[in-house]
Amino acid sequence: MQLFLDGSDINKIRKYCELGLIDGVTTNPSIILKSGKNMIEVISELAGIVSGSVSAEVSALDSDTMVQEGIKLAEIAENVTVKLPITWDGLKACKTLSNKGISVNMTLCFSSSQALLAAKAGAEYVSPFIGRLDDLNLEGIDLISDIKLIYSNYKFSTKILAASIRTVNHVKQCACFGADVATIPLDIFEKLVKHPLTDSGLSQFTADWEKTGQSII
Ligand code: G3P
């Protein structure tokens, strides 16, 4: 499973990219607002840090303007992926941009039927928002499972990019159910490595090693 970061914190994203653990980044208008920066500047900076896909979302609601915005966003860098909402206009724009060779991420996906249409429209990625479904006491992970089955039945190449991830357990579930990508907020990503038994076990090993009086180098 590829791991993307969902956010725009340049320094933290650079840190984890340098570890070789990050395959891409996703943004959306709310993330851009939170950054307090110009969108084009943020996307340009992120595209220079991350070797993989960087998702940048259009603001338009009509397909013609979505296409214009998508072309401009794609011109920022070759690894920019254009994010489009799953609406009829978004699907039409997806067809046009995909046919131009531009990578598209169909976002705000909450149903299997939407994911089916995204694949038919030629999207490189579809973003099911599992956290927001959980917020409604629906099982967001079931959507990942259903899309995985549909895509494998018909050998669609569209990649499932699990989004709206709220917990470490969401990441585990996405991996278990075969999502191609999980886009993870930084605070959740930083929890992935933590376990109290690892901490306590390492403390004990360190203490016992010191008692040996030995050194390796
Ligand atoms: O990439 C989509 C993600 O940022 C949405 O997350 O927590 O606002 O549902 P959330």
Side-chain angles (χ1 to χ4, degrees):
M1 184 169 78
Q2 289 195 319
L3 301 181
F4 286 15
L5 289 177
D6 191 39
S8 63
D9 184 321
I10 298 293
N11 293 327
K12 285 194 173 181
I13 289 171
R14 180 182 289 110
K15 171 186 173 183
Y16 294 118
C17 282
E18 287 169 354
L19 284 180
L21 298 175
I22 301 304
D23 302 296
V25 170
T26 53
T27 70
N28 62 40
S30 302
I31 287 172
I32 297 299
L33 174 63
K34 188 178 177 185
S35 77
K37 298 180 181 177
N38 172 274
M39 177 190 187
I40 304 298
E41 291 173 12
V42 170
I43 299 302
S44 180
E45 202 166 5
L46 289 170
I49 294 168
V50 182
S51 57
S53 167
V54 175
S55 280
E57 189 159 342
V58 300
S59 64
L61 300 177
D62 69 288
S63 60
D64 290 344
T65 314
M66 284 178 182
V67 169
Q68 291 172 35
E69 291 183 349
I71 291 169
K72 181 171 182 184
L73 292 171
E75 286 171 348
I76 295 171
E78 64 177 10
N79 57 326
V80 168
T81 293
V82 177
K83 241 184 179 182
L84 301 169
I86 298 187
T87 61
W88 292 123
D89 279 88
L91 290 163
K92 184 179 179 183
C94 179
K95 261 298 199 191
T96 303
L97 292 171
S98 299
N99 289 339
K100 291 177 181 289
I102 292 173
S103 169
V104 174
N105 177 0
M106 294 304 285
T107 190
L108 288 168
C109 175
F110 296 98
S111 71
S112 300
S113 58
Q114 287 178 323
L116 179 60
L117 293 172
K120 295 282 289 180
E124 181 172 3
Y125 301 98
V126 65
S127 290
F129 278 32
I130 63 175
R132 295 192 188 186
L133 288 168
D134 285 3
D135 292 344
L136 300 178
N137 290 322
L138 300 171
E139 279 298 320
I141 201 62
D142 288 349
L143 179 56
I144 301 293
S145 176
D146 292 345
I147 296 171
K148 184 73 176 179
L149 176 61
I150 292 167
Y151 282 14
S152 62
N153 284 347
Y154 302 102
K155 297 178 176 48
F156 285 126
S157 61
T158 301
K159 287 172 274 202
I160 304 168
L161 196 166
S164 186
I165 284 178
R166 303 280 173 77
T167 65
V168 170
N169 191 48
H170 269 163
V171 178
K172 183 206 82 174
Q173 289 180 311
C174 289
C176 290
F177 281 92
D180 299 290
V181 185
T183 191
I184 309 166
L186 275 156
D187 62 326
I188 303 302
F189 180 79
E190 290 176 328
K191 290 176 181 175
L192 292 179
V193 74
K194 297 301 289 177
H195 196 290
L197 289 179
T198 302
D199 295 341
S200 61
L202 186 56
S203 295
Q204 188 61 58
F205 285 164
T206 302
D208 289 349
W209 178 253
E210 284 174 6
K211 291 172 185 170
T212 70
Q214 299 177 45
S215 64
I216 295 171
I217 57 175

